[in-house]
Amino acid sequence: MKNKLFKKKICALVLSGAGTIAYAQETVKENNIDEVVVTTGRTKPRTIITSAIPIDNISAVQLKSTGQVTFDKALTYAVPSFNSSQQTVSDATAHFDPADLRGLGPSRTLVLVNGKRKNQSALIYVNDTPGKGEVGTDLKSIPSAALQNVEVLRDGASAQYGSDAIAGVINIILKNSVGKSTVNLFSGITSKGDGFNIGADFNTGIRVAKTGSLNLTLGFSSQNKTNRAGSTTKDGLFGVENAWTQANPGLGMTIGQPETKVGNMFVNFELPTGETGKFYAFGGTTYRNGTSYGLYRTPYWVTSDFGLLTPAGKPYNGFQPEFKTDVYDYNLTSGWKGMFGKWSFDGSATFGSNAVNYVVGNTINTSLGANSPTRFKAGGHQFSNIIGNIDINRNFGTFVLGAGVEVRNENYQATAGEEASYIGTGAESFPGLQPQNEVNKNRQNIGAYMNAEWDVTKNLLVGGTVRYENFSDFGNNVSWKGNARYKLLDDKLVFRGSVSTGFRAPSLHQIYYSNVQTKITGNAVANQGTFNNDSQIVRSDLGVPKLNAEKAFNITGGFAVKPFKNLTITADYYRIKIKDRVLFSGDIGYKTGAPGSPDTTNPVEVILDNNKITSLKFFTNAVNTVTQGVDFVANYNSAVGKGRLGIIAAFNYNETEIVDNIAVPSILAQNGYSENFFDRKEQSRIISARPKTKTILSLSYDISKFNVNLNNTYFGSVTWQHATDPAKDQTFAGKVVTDIVLTYKITNDLKVSGVVNNLFNIYPDVIDSKGDVVTDLGGRFKYPWEVNQFGFNGTTFQLNVNYTF
């Protein structure tokens, strides 16, 4: 039988900045994708193999085949250089899970929705997790059910898109299909009987005014907690041993995934205007409510709860505080694109916002005694932006020219909690934000770019981009990029490469975040916490410079080869040098004296005493790093027997090292604080908290009504470094996690899938405290928490039912 050839509609998605990552054409033979065509930089459509820079194009089907429920976890099991893992006992961080590309931290990956910049989250990660001190995008607010595909540009792209694109760009493309509706129901549970989840999502596409379209996605899910706490019969909290510890070896802890409820709605709307233009609007809103847990307060740590948490007639046995969050995420873009003469035009406006409110429950403020509440509103944070874009481009035969302007206003707010949450000792586990921590700050920036690509010959392509940015708070930046590609053997072999500069503006969170915790011991008042970069304590007293932009220099080079039509192989080397990375300092406290009686020869202790604080932390530009790595992707798809076999093999090697000396502020260096400023443990979050190697081998086979997906993901080793003693470091060995998804098509419209994630019940290595009770907090943590490869839930079973009508 002859192959049937179909051409799908061209769907050009104009990105903010100087580029597009677009579907231009799909050639489908007997329902199997033969070639997906993409383009970068407002130019003629080019296939993945002939693109000048490396791009991953991941379909919604491929994301679903990982068996993961959330978008960030599905991407982790689909892209080797992307990492996101569940955090625990880390306040609000447990509800966001820091994610990054190439181990460069959440701040250095730009996220787009339909090519338009997505707002950052309101939360800055200040707990002991990967990405500490950084701000990312709330990927948990993106529902997988709304996605058509995801494009990951693995190359420095600041010259194209502006700040934050040092590691690359993730472009999330929403569904725009019409004429059908889909209902998906799912539920699952771990092999230990906890973590029960259940959810449903609905997607429909309808025709509007004959040629327009509206695609709508609704979703809801609920997830119960898991608990994989350690136990001890010897050491209690920080090494305290007593009868209660021995009688309660589990220490009352809950360590695992949080309880979560999520609701979302996303829309994607298009309405043609004449023959060459269209109006568009897209975006969505997500609400997420979660409960995680703090460290258990043992009865020898907090000696009484004044009968507020202990049932009447029962002995007091301590309590475990709850950390509750309400997360709201909104994103809406509207605009018009079309032709003005021979020029393509795209003008748009975007509003995005993320807010998180904190509530601390099942706890007390000991300084209030029996009058203490047991639930506290502890304040919150909000970040929002308003963005305007105008982009134009035109083809001049083999030469393409593009230009554009982006204007952005950003706002960051911090709101104090109720007085009972911070007065005196504050609520146990998380004292609320205080009035002096409140902030409402704005900044503006304007960026302008110009880019060009030239097909010099049939085989040789060269391109370049230059971008100018002006930020109201720190000034100007100019970034540039040059790229080239050369084809051989009738497009079957391609060599490609790029050189670029990049930058990342310090986030408003890093400039203005502060959180002072008040402690009372007897008649003494002690404060400790974070002071913002704009404060007198940090800028004047400590002499810390104003935060400035990080600067990057990127080199990428590689090849793509298609030895025969069913196999594509790409390999790319990259080197990224970042200067003046913004870091979150360690605790700077009393060194030789004591609160109330400082060593007057130590100006740091004088500062602490004058400001009635016991220690302080702050943000500053202080570290230079070099990241090098290799990406390899092989994709094979062919008929085998009576079915079709698909194989994806992908590999990433990534290593970051700190180069040059850490820039310790002179006052700290002169008074012996160099090691405390950014100690070995803090450094390990940059150099060894994420796997240096990660390999994915995905096998799929379709036959008759059955589809089987077998995914094996190797997470390489990670190393936790002790703050001061290298003998107490621990490397957690690499592990392979196997997932299997079996789908049966009952009818053409009804499918049922069974999923087993982590089939062989693989867990990370157990923590070896090596005699240091702080390493595992006296047995509380069985598995690593400050470095984390793939979580520690073990095997999970799930059932999905999908109906299309």
Side-chain angles (χ1 to χ4, degrees), residues 83-95:
N83 289 283
S84 174
S85 56
Q86 178 65 58
Q87 305 304 310
T88 185
V89 191
S90 53
D91 296 337
T93 304
H95 303 277

Side-chain angles (χ1 to χ4, degrees), residues 767-794:
I767 294 175
D768 179 1
S769 68
K770 300 182 181 179
D772 182 3
V773 296
V774 178
T775 302
D776 61 356
L777 296 189
R780 280 169 163 73
F781 288 88
K782 182 177 182 179
Y783 302 108
W785 50 297
E786 294 188 78
V787 296
N788 194 320
Q789 294 146 293
F790 50 86
F792 37 80
N793 275 342

Side-chain angles (χ1 to χ4, degrees), residues 58 63 70-79 82 150 152 170:
I58 303 156
L63 288 173
T70 61
F71 168 64
D72 59 329
K73 299 303 180 292
L75 206 59
T76 297
Y77 285 82
V79 178
F82 180 86
V150 179
V152 182
I170 297 174

Side-chain angles (χ1 to χ4, degrees), residues 572-588:
D572 296 277
Y573 164 81
Y574 56 89
R575 185 180 190 271
I576 307 167
K577 183 173 184 178
I578 304 176
K579 183 180 180 182
D580 296 331
R581 282 178 67 153
V582 177
L583 60 79
F584 191 36
S585 75
D587 283 309
I588 310 301

Side-chain angles (χ1 to χ4, degrees), residues 207-227:
R207 185 64 66 189
V208 177
K210 294 185 179 180
T211 57
S213 64
L214 173 65
N215 191 279
L216 170 68
T217 303
L218 301 172
F220 172 80
S221 65
S222 175
Q223 167 189 282
N224 290 349
K225 68 181 180 180
T226 60
N227 187 15

Side-chain angles (χ1 to χ4, degrees), residues 299-320:
Y300 54 80
W301 179 2
V302 178
T303 57
S304 173
D305 69 349
F306 309 102
L308 297 171
L309 300 172
T310 303
K314 299 290 185 180
Y316 171 61
N317 276 307
F319 56 91
Q320 183 167 28

Side-chain angles (χ1 to χ4, degrees), residues 731-779:
T731 295
F732 298 89
K735 301 290 178 72
V736 176
V737 176
T738 301
D739 307 306
I740 186 168
V741 180
L742 177 62
T743 302
Y744 178 69
K745 185 182 293 186
I746 299 175
T747 69
N748 288 334
D749 300 323
L750 179 63
K751 294 186 294 185
V752 177
S753 299
V755 181
V756 183
N757 288 123
N758 199 345
L759 177 65
F760 300 110
N761 204 34
I762 302 298
Y763 282 83
D765 289 349
V766 174
I767 294 175
D768 179 1
S769 68
K770 300 182 181 179
D772 182 3
V773 296
V774 178
T775 302
D776 61 356
L777 296 189

Side-chain angles (χ1 to χ4, degrees), residues 188-352:
I189 195 169
T190 73
S191 60
K192 289 187 176 293
D194 59 4
F196 175 76
N197 69 77
I198 189 169
D201 52 68
F202 170 74
N203 176 268
T204 188
I206 58 176
R207 185 64 66 189
V208 177
K210 294 185 179 180
T211 57
S213 64
L214 173 65
N215 191 279
L216 170 68
T217 303
L218 301 172
F220 172 80
S221 65
S222 175
Q223 167 189 282
N224 290 349
K225 68 181 180 180
T226 60
N227 187 15
R228 303 293 181 269
S231 63
T232 180
T233 57
K234 183 178 181 181
D235 295 327
L237 180 66
F238 303 129
V240 176
E241 181 181 354
N242 65 8
W244 189 90
T245 299
Q246 295 180 11
N248 298 271
L251 300 174
M253 285 294 291
T254 300
I255 296 177
Q257 73 181 23
E259 298 177 6
T260 307
K261 289 181 173 60
V262 183
N264 54 66
M265 179 179 72
F266 271 67
V267 296
N268 193 7
F269 173 75
E270 293 183 355
L271 182 64
T273 56
E275 295 182 359
T276 62
K278 66 176 178 180
F279 170 79
Y280 60 87
F282 58 83
T285 179
T286 299
Y287 168 69
R288 195 163 70 249
N289 172 268
T291 301
S292 58
Y293 299 86
L295 290 174
Y296 193 92
R297 268 49 182 175
T298 62
Y300 54 80
W301 179 2
V302 178
T303 57
S304 173
D305 69 349
F306 309 102
L308 297 171
L309 300 172
T310 303
K314 299 290 185 180
Y316 171 61
N317 276 307
F319 56 91
Q320 183 167 28
E322 298 174 342
F323 190 89
K324 298 176 179 290
T325 59
D326 289 303
V327 181
Y328 303 86
D329 191 270
Y330 310 93
N331 191 257
L332 177 64
T333 296
S334 63
W336 183 88
K337 65 173 62 175
M339 299 295 296
F340 282 122
K342 295 182 179 181
W343 288 87
S344 297
F345 174 89
D346 183 2
S348 66
T350 298
F351 171 77

